[in-house]
Amino acid sequence: MPGQKTPYYITTPIYYVNDVPHIGHAYTTLACDVLARFMRLDGRDVKFLTGTDEHGQKVEKSAQAAGVDPQAFTDRVSQNFRNLSGTLNFSNDDFIRTTEERHKKACQALWKKLLENGEIYLGGYSGWYAVRDEAFYTESELTKQPDGKRIATASGAEVEWVEEPSYFFRLSAWQDRLLAFYEANPDFIAPETRRNEVISFVKGGLKDLSISRTTFSWGVPVPDDAEHIMYVWLDALTNYMTAAGYPDLESESYKTYWPADLHMVGKDILRFHAVYWPAFLMAADLPTPKRVFAHGWWTNEGQKISKSLGNVIDPLQLVETYGLDPVRYFLLREVPFGNDGDFSRRAIVGRMNGDLTNDLGNLSQRVLSMIAKNCDNAVPAPGAFTPEDEALLSQSEALPDRLRQEYGVQAFNKALEATWDVIGAANRYVDDQAPWTLRKTDPERMKTVLYVLAETVRRLAILTQPVMPDAMAKMLDQLSIAPDARGFENLATPLAAGSPVPKPEGIFPRFVEEEAGTA
């Protein structure tokens, strides 16, 4: 319909509630938040989902260890993830818990459809199972330890031998159809290295998947067979459709948002999202998501992060030490998204004092200070633009399309590099034009230069809002840009001469290491 916004549905994985939030959770959700904010500013109808995965043997055991029933345990731990969203300024539209009735209803509807389509059968399972991973493993995927125990080679999780009745999903029948699907949809899995891994895995052969358990009870009951509960991954993956309104296929929400535009996941859970999930959906005659992106992991000062090393990175402590927007910026700027990255104190301080304080902060501060001081605290009226003026304005005008391109493929670091290219050009323009000298020699030219710079700062601040919403709000406040004039549709409406520009305050203070606590 004319004027209707194009939908954009983005999801994080739902986070397992047997632990407290860490840097990995923050990183995934931050990436989704930035995309959601970008798409909203660009006029899209965004649905941004996150939540918690609350069923399974691992949760049941964690609750027992804590001496509470599983529901009370998940109520408490799920709240930690809600709190993380508030602290890191995430803009999710929905927060789903797999213990909600709407979700149980969706899971059971999907089960019934798969059963009706002949994709599920009852059998018996015997094999190796890792409680920590909630995953089944073949002998070839295990490493035998000196004490005789076996661990999953990829994750290091201990496995146990399980024998029990089980319903199975006919995954083996979907091998060729999945490979054909990947070929027909080359952008379904990203980045390319992960896509190649998945295709290699599927070509290696798929076995039917055990999708129910009887040895514990914390999960969604299998319809018409109360002795079985659903395998946690069939349950968990369905959350994306639950939040979109499934199983009501005629609901406005489902018709608007499903299939999802992007599932953002860590590389450790790619197989579930890129193999099992599309197979479940196609087997149930349902549309598949458009894209699954698997990002990398963080290390800490070069070391693998683990509880035993005591080097787990607490995102709340990071924010307390370095500030919210600098942390958001660093996590997406430092590493090509999709690669593994290393968190180091030196690197984040370097980004803060270099990129933020020296480059962007100093640009805004000195431009707005000169306007406040020399132009009666108001945006000056420009004269005719020189080729140098046009060059800088053109560079900032071209930035939105470049950002759409980079964010469209989740290249956050490239989007920020492109932004900082314009910031660098603006700083060079200040030095070349020397408005402090023009003030004495050519005041009218000085006004034009300051106008060009103020307009460039306005565009930069609008376009950088998704990554640093609070800091850019302050920058736009200092330009007296109304809150309803900060969307991308406003980029083409230049600053009005005479708009008030009060004396600015610094937005990115220099970080002094000696005064910092440990992160």
Side-chain angles (χ1 to χ4, degrees):
M1 289 190 297
Q4 189 173 23
K5 291 183 176 181
T6 305
Y8 185 80
Y9 182 23
I10 184 171
T11 70
T12 73
I14 47 174
Y15 300 119
Y16 220 62
V17 293
N18 68 322
D19 207 349
V20 295
H22 55 65
I23 191 68
H25 303 123
Y27 187 51
T28 315
T29 314
L30 170 61
C32 292
D33 180 63
V34 169
L35 284 173
R37 288 176 180 275
F38 184 89
M39 296 300 174
R40 285 192 202 103
L41 287 165
D42 207 20
R44 303 285 294 271
D45 172 14
V46 172
K47 183 177 181 65
F48 167 23
L49 176 70
T50 189
T52 44
D53 182 5
E54 303 183 11
H55 288 137
Q57 194 171 2
K58 189 161 53 171
V59 171
E60 189 173 78
K61 286 189 172 185
S62 295
Q64 288 169 353
V68 295
D69 72 87
Q71 188 63 57
F73 176 81
T74 57
D75 287 346
R76 186 182 77 227
V77 185
S78 178
Q79 189 60 42
N80 293 335
F81 288 89
R82 284 187 187 271
N83 294 344
L84 182 71
S85 285
T87 303
L88 272 71
N89 197 10
F90 296 148
S91 61
N92 51 291
D93 303 289
D94 196 357
F95 187 100
I96 192 165
R97 300 179 59 189
T98 55
T99 48
E100 294 176 43
E101 283 305 315
R102 62 171 171 162
H103 181 64
K104 293 174 185 175
K105 180 181 173 185
C107 291
Q108 292 179 331
L110 179 60
W111 182 284
K112 288 177 180 176
K113 182 63 176 175
L114 291 170
L115 191 65
E116 176 189 315
N117 285 1
E119 301 287 349
I120 292 175
Y121 64 91
L122 181 61
Y125 178 77
S126 59
W128 297 104
Y129 186 76
V131 173
R132 194 183 84 189
D133 297 344
E134 299 285 10
F136 303 98
Y137 290 104
T138 62
E139 191 74 47
S140 64
E141 295 175 302
L142 304 175
T143 301
K144 195 169 183 179
Q145 302 295 90
D147 60 4
K149 291 180 179 177
R150 288 170 171 78
I151 62 168
T153 306
S155 70
E158 190 172 314
V159 297
E160 58 187 37
W161 185 261
V162 174
E163 293 186 19
E164 60 182 319
S166 176
Y167 284 93
F168 284 81
F169 171 71
R170 299 183 191 278
L171 186 62
S172 60
W174 285 89
Q175 180 174 336
D176 290 343
R177 283 176 282 185
L178 279 169
L179 291 171
F181 171 74
Y182 302 146
E183 187 173 347
N185 298 276
D187 295 329
F188 175 67
I189 304 168
E192 186 72 19
T193 52
R194 304 292 170 221
R195 170 181 156 80
N196 294 339
E197 287 172 14
V198 169
I199 291 173
S200 177
F201 171 75
V202 174
K203 282 182 175 176
L206 297 176
K207 295 183 177 179
D208 288 353
L209 180 67
S210 171
I211 55 168
S212 75
R213 303 294 306 275
T214 59
T215 50
F216 63 99
S217 59
W218 185 241
V220 178
V222 166
D224 305 318
D225 193 340
E227 291 187 6
H228 290 253
I229 60 159
M230 291 186 200
Y231 173 45
V232 69
W233 272 104
L234 177 58
D235 161 4
L237 290 162
T238 306
N239 93 87
Y240 304 126
M241 286 200 306
T242 302
Y246 182 82
D248 184 357
L249 305 185
E250 296 306 311
S251 70
E252 196 62 35
S253 177
Y254 181 86
K255 289 194 289 186
T256 299
Y257 295 114
W258 193 259
D261 291 87
L262 179 66
H263 291 327
M264 188 75 79
V265 301
K267 64 181 182 179
D268 53 322
I269 56 172
L270 177 59
R271 184 184 301 179
F272 302 102
H273 286 80
V275 181
Y276 300 170
W277 185 222
F280 292 155
L281 290 168
M282 290 190 285
D285 305 318
L286 293 166
T288 58
K290 298 171 189 174
R291 186 171 174 88
V292 177
F293 192 105
H295 64 72
W297 290 341
W298 284 87
T299 52
N300 188 353
E301 303 287 354
Q303 283 189 309
K304 184 178 179 180
I305 294 174
S306 73
K307 285 184 183 177
S308 59
L309 289 174
N311 67 346
V312 174
I313 300 174
D314 178 357
L316 305 183
Q317 192 174 7
L318 277 187
V319 169
E320 189 177 326
T321 303
Y322 301 108
L324 175 54
D325 279 359
V327 168
R328 287 173 60 105
Y329 172 77
F330 171 79
L331 290 176
L332 293 181
R333 176 65 181 81
E334 185 68 7
V335 179
F337 198 70
N339 294 4
D340 291 340
D342 183 52
F343 177 87
S344 80
R345 181 181 181 78
R346 181 178 177 184
I348 190 170
V349 171
R351 291 284 180 199
M352 290 172 68
N353 289 341
D355 297 7
L356 299 184
T357 305
N358 292 351
D359 296 345
L360 178 55
N362 188 44
L363 172 66
S364 172
Q365 177 84 0
R366 61 177 175 167
V367 168
L368 300 184
S369 293
M370 283 187 281
I371 291 175
K373 183 177 179 181
N374 300 307
C375 304
D376 298 322
N377 295 100
V379 174
F385 292 141
T386 67
E388 292 80 8
D389 304 338
E390 296 283 6
L392 181 58
L393 290 170
S394 295
Q395 198 170 345
S396 63
E397 282 171 6
L399 189 55
D401 284 342
R402 173 73 188 279
L403 297 187
R404 289 185 185 103
Q405 176 186 332
E406 301 298 359
Y407 281 126
V409 293
Q410 295 77 58
F412 299 95
N413 66 307
K414 288 185 178 180
L416 288 167
E417 283 174 13
T419 304
W420 256 254
D421 285 346
V422 178
I423 293 168
N427 277 313
R428 289 189 295 275
Y429 173 89
V430 177
D431 294 338
D432 291 345
Q433 299 299 319
W436 49 88
T437 301
L438 292 171
R439 182 171 65 91
K440 299 172 185 174
T441 61
D442 191 345
E444 291 307 306
R445 174 63 190 154
M446 174 201 72
K447 290 178 183 177
T448 302
V449 167
L450 292 178
Y451 178 88
V452 168
L453 285 164
E455 174 62 4
T456 301
V457 169
R458 181 188 74 92
R459 292 175 186 171
L460 287 166
I462 287 173
L463 291 166
T464 311
Q465 288 176 101
V467 179
M468 296 185 287
D470 291 344
M472 294 306 99
K474 290 177 185 174
M475 196 171 286
L476 290 165
D477 286 346
Q478 293 183 3
L479 279 165
S480 299
I481 305 299
D484 63 356
R486 299 178 180 185
F488 294 171
E489 75 276 10
N490 302 111
L491 287 166
T493 305
L495 274 172
S499 300
V501 178
K503 184 180 178 182
E505 295 179 5
I507 294 170
F508 297 112
R510 179 164 295 279
F511 186 86
V512 182
E513 294 196 65
E514 291 74 23
E515 297 176 359
T518 55

